[in-house]
């Protein structure tokens, strides 16, 4: 095969190539903070628009309309900018196009950064450094962490790994496989909108309504695919219970205010044999939640490591399936 034929082959399957390349880049580099990241620009745009559109004096309907307008503008920008960039790169040179598409796809994955941040919690717990553990877990969860004991900190970290197996890995790959890099970036925009303005507070209850509902819709299929992949991963990994993962998934997958979050948390709880969720404190206010899973054993620091192993096995399966589906299509 000549170099031109090889290049033509990669171009004809550029999304499948970018999926594999993005996974390798994420494994090697993770999320280097020195490089510009699309999600940071999305966050700045959301913050800029929210300060100018969200007015407490507006009626509920006006707030919802302005929230919809913000969502539309952010999603449009998140699609138009990478689309124009990739179009320009393809006109310049195919190799540049493949490289930039792979980098954009890589910036949508968060497997290594998820492991990196959660393992900071693990290392602090192993040395019983409670202040450092609380500080580390506060970087990856939204709940109040200054009141958590070692069990609560470990539980929070495991829940984050479980939930973000979908949000940070499987869901971006799902949209990547269907729509390429632009689809994955639009998904990241939806996810970022949800994390920034979809709160049930007085300020965001109406303004963030559209963002919250759109995130629920976008994650509906990926969350369930993630759960199935986690169950399969627990089947092939030694020391995990696929039978219990499936049982807890069927029983507890809707024990959450979100229709999607408990899908993966229930599988993880079952596979590890621990109990997750329960009442949580946000901003000094207790939010009542049902427990997920059964307390077969006490949750402890090593469960963070086991959750990450399960997450990475699921990531490998998701990458292989996504690339194969795209290659065939």
């Amino acid at each position: 095969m000549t170099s031109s034929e090889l290049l033509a082959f990669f171009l004809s399957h550029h999304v499948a190539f970018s999926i594999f390349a993005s996974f390798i880049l994420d494994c090697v580099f993770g999320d280097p903070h020195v490089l510009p990241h699309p999600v940071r620009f999305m966050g700045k745009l959301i913050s800029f628009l929210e300060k100018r559109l969200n007015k407490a004096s507006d009626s509920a309907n006006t707030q919802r309309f302005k929230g919809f307008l913000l969502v539309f503008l952010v999603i449009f920008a998140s699609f138009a900018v990478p689309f124009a960039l990739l179009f320009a790169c393809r006109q310049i040179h195919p190799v540049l196009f493949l490289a930039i598409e792979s980098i954009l796809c890589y910036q949508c994955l968060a497997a290594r950064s998820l492991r990196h941040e959660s393992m900071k919690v693990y290392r602090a717990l192993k040395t019983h450094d409670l202040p450092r553990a609380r500080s580390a877990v506060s970087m990856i969860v939204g709940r109040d962490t200054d009141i958590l004991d070692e069990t609560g900190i470990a539980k929070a970290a495991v829940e984050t790994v479980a939930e973000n197996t979908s949000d940070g890995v499987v869901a971006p790959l799902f949209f990547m496989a269907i729509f390429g890099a632009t689809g994955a970036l639009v998904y990241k925009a939806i996810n970022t909108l949800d994390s920034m303005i979809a709160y049930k507070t007085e300020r965001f209850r109406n303004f963030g309504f559209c963002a919250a509902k759109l995130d629920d819709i976008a994650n509906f299929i990926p969350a369930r695919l993630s759960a199935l992949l986690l169950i399969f991963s627990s089947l092939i990994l030694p020391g995990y219970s696929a039978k219990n993962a499936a049982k807890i998934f069927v029983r507890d997958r809707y024990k959450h205010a979100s229709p999607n979050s408990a899908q993966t948390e229930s599988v993880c709880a079952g596979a590890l044999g621990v109990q997750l969720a329960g009442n949580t404190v946000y901003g000094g206010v207790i939010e009542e939640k049902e427990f997920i899973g059964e307390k077969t054993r006490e949750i402890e620091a090593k469960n963070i490591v086991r959750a990450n192993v399960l997450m990475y096995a699921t990531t490998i399966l998701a990458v292989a399936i996504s690339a194969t589906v795209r290659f065939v299509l």
Side-chain angles (χ1 to χ4, degrees), residues 286-302:
I286 297 176
E287 183 174 311
E288 294 186 358
K289 296 181 180 181
E290 294 186 80
F291 284 108
I292 295 173
E294 297 169 347
K295 195 183 290 187
T296 306
R297 58 177 67 91
E298 288 292 336
I299 190 164
E300 51 189 338
K302 69 178 182 180

Side-chain angles (χ1 to χ4, degrees), residues 251-263:
R251 192 191 73 187
D252 294 350
R253 68 187 186 277
Y254 289 117
K255 288 185 176 181
H256 200 284
S258 163
N260 303 315
S261 294
Q263 302 288 324

Side-chain angles (χ1 to χ4, degrees), residues 71-116:
V71 168
F72 173 80
L73 292 172
V74 171
I75 289 177
F76 178 78
S78 300
F79 169 80
V81 173
F83 181 86
L85 175 63
L86 289 171
F87 180 81
C89 289
R90 191 155 192 165
Q91 304 310 305
I92 296 169
H93 199 281
V95 173
L96 179 63
F97 167 75
L98 287 169
I100 296 301
E101 184 179 51
S102 297
I103 291 171
L104 290 176
C105 288
Y106 146 62
Q107 291 181 315
C108 293
L109 295 183
R112 177 164 172 171
S113 62
L114 178 59
R115 178 189 177 278
H116 177 73

Side-chain angles (χ1 to χ4, degrees), residues 51-159:
K51 289 175 182 176
R52 285 153 181 80
L53 293 174
N54 192 8
K55 306 295 182 185
S57 57
D58 289 335
S59 67
N61 286 337
T62 301
Q63 287 180 337
R64 286 195 177 191
F65 174 75
K66 287 184 175 181
F68 166 79
L69 180 62
L70 182 148
V71 168
F72 173 80
L73 292 172
V74 171
I75 289 177
F76 178 78
S78 300
F79 169 80
V81 173
F83 181 86
L85 175 63
L86 289 171
F87 180 81
C89 289
R90 191 155 192 165
Q91 304 310 305
I92 296 169
H93 199 281
V95 173
L96 179 63
F97 167 75
L98 287 169
I100 296 301
E101 184 179 51
S102 297
I103 291 171
L104 290 176
C105 288
Y106 146 62
Q107 291 181 315
C108 293
L109 295 183
R112 177 164 172 171
S113 62
L114 178 59
R115 178 189 177 278
H116 177 73
E117 295 300 324
S118 61
M119 288 301 289
K120 287 181 182 177
V121 182
Y122 167 77
R123 286 189 289 271
L125 288 175
K126 287 297 289 181
T127 59
H128 304 287
D129 188 340
L130 206 56
R132 187 159 65 94
R134 285 171 175 161
S135 176
V137 81
S138 71
M139 297 294 105
I140 56 176
V141 299
R143 70 194 67 180
D144 294 356
T145 60
D146 56 345
I147 59 172
L148 296 178
D149 58 11
E150 291 192 7
T151 299
I153 292 168
K155 181 194 290 188
V158 170
E159 287 174 4

